């Protein structure tokens, strides 16, 4: 049995994926969660689900997301707190796109303490800006299961259809080039300082996200295994 195929223990930790739009957080967070049979909590996916269902939360979030800005804490924190309360989170989970500000990180730190979790492990996806645009504009996501593809680098076997469930592949509305620039600016201003915040606390590992999906995945797995 190869090291990556051997059975995984319970995660019993919280893993945070931090990195700019298009770095590959979703791709890797889903895979890590799958390996440990842990929930994958993407605040972006949760918000998009609210938008798709037309809930009042979704109606408030939609124009903000469409402008490439961060959704206010009054919306995001309640959504996260409710999700963490569910029993499937009791043995750890993987955050993708949360926290995104130092204030969110401080709030999360308190919440995890209350739930008896150790400090989170932070995967910091490091990648040059020049590579991000190709990844984002080429991204297509399955409407059914959320599987992530890229028309340039990770195309589906059959154009426009998911390999897993045959679902239709779609492009996110905020993946247009002019909105991507705004999302990157929001990242630099509000989220990038989180790397220094978690580095100071000694829980962060820089991961070279420019490598292949498999290589990046292996570096992340090594980090998490060492820390468990
Ligand atoms: P969110 O959905 O979190 O988007 P994001 O952070 O901008 O990140 P992306 O989903 O664009 O990229 P990713 O890093 O997950 O990359 P992926 O794996 O898809 O947030 C969207 C919006 O929601 C925000 O703008 C904000 O408005 C709101 N929001 C969310 N959370 C919030 C919060 N906490 N507070 C406030 N507001 C919040 O990969 C990208 C592409 O690259 C894919 O095509 C993939 O196939 C390809 N790829 C991945 N890895 C590789 C590789 N190694 N080699 C080649 N191609 C690769």
């Amino acid at each position: 049995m190869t090291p990556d195929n051997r059975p995984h223990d319970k995660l019993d930790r919280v893993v945070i994926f931090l990195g700019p739009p298009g770095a590959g957080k979703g791709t890797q967070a889903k895979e890590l969660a799958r390996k440990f049979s842990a929930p994958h909590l993407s605040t972006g996916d949760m918000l998009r689900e609210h938008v798709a269902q037309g809930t009042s939360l979704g109606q408030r979030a939609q124009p903000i997301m469409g402008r490439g800005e961060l959704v206010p804490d009054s919306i995001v924190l309640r959504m996260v707190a409710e999700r963490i309360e569910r029993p499937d989170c009791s043995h750890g989970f993987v955050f993708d796109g949360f926290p995104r500000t130092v204030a969110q990180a401080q709030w999360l730190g308190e919440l995890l303490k209350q739930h008896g979790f150790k400090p989170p492990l932070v995967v910091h996806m490091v990648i040059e800006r020049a590579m991000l645009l190709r990844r984002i504009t080429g991204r297509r996501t399955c409407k059914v299961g959320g599987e992530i593809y890229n028309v340039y680098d990770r195309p589906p076997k059959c154009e426009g259809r998911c390999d897993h469930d045959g679902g239709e592949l779609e492009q996110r509305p905020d993946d247009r080039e002019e909105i991507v620039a705004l999302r990157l600016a929001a990242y630099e201003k509000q989220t990038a300082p989180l790397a220094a915040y978690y580095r100071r606390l000694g829980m962060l590992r820089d991961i070279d996200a420019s490598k292949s999906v498999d290589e990046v995945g292996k570096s992340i797995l090594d980090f998490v295994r060492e820390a468990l």
Side-chain angles (χ1 to χ4, degrees), residues 46-63 75 78-79:
M46 291 181 209
L47 290 165
R48 280 185 288 277
E49 216 172 298
H50 276 283
V51 170
Q53 289 171 359
T55 65
S56 62
L57 190 159
Q59 284 169 16
R60 284 167 63 203
Q62 186 172 27
I75 295 180
R78 198 165 42 161
M79 194 178 74

Side-chain angles (χ1 to χ4, degrees), residues 2 5 9 12 51 65 71 81 86 90 127 148 159 193 198 205-206 217:
T2 66
N5 288 337
D9 296 331
D12 271 330
V51 170
M65 294 169 80
V71 174
R86 295 199 210 150
S90 59
I127 182 166
I148 304 167
E159 198 187 322
Y198 280 121
R205 170 83 52 97
D206 289 325

Side-chain angles (χ1 to χ4, degrees), residues 16 18 120-126 192-207 223:
I16 291 170
L18 177 65
L121 304 173
V122 182
V123 175
H124 181 218
M125 309 277 282
V126 181
L194 266 185
Y197 173 84
Y198 280 121
R199 203 183 299 281
R200 264 199 308 274
L201 299 178
M203 338 157 168
L204 177 140
R205 170 83 52 97
D206 289 325
I207 299 287
F223 165 50

Side-chain angles (χ1 to χ4, degrees), residues 148-182:
I148 304 167
Y149 296 89
N150 191 288
V151 293
Y152 306 120
D153 300 317
R154 305 190 77 212
K157 291 191 186 101
C158 171
E159 198 187 322
R161 291 280 159 197
C162 178
D163 295 347
H164 295 272
D165 54 26
E168 191 186 333
L169 302 187
E170 62 179 356
Q171 192 167 22
R172 272 169 43 180
D174 62 346
D175 277 352
R176 295 197 316 274
E177 223 169 303
E178 65 275 22
I179 306 299
V180 172
L182 299 171

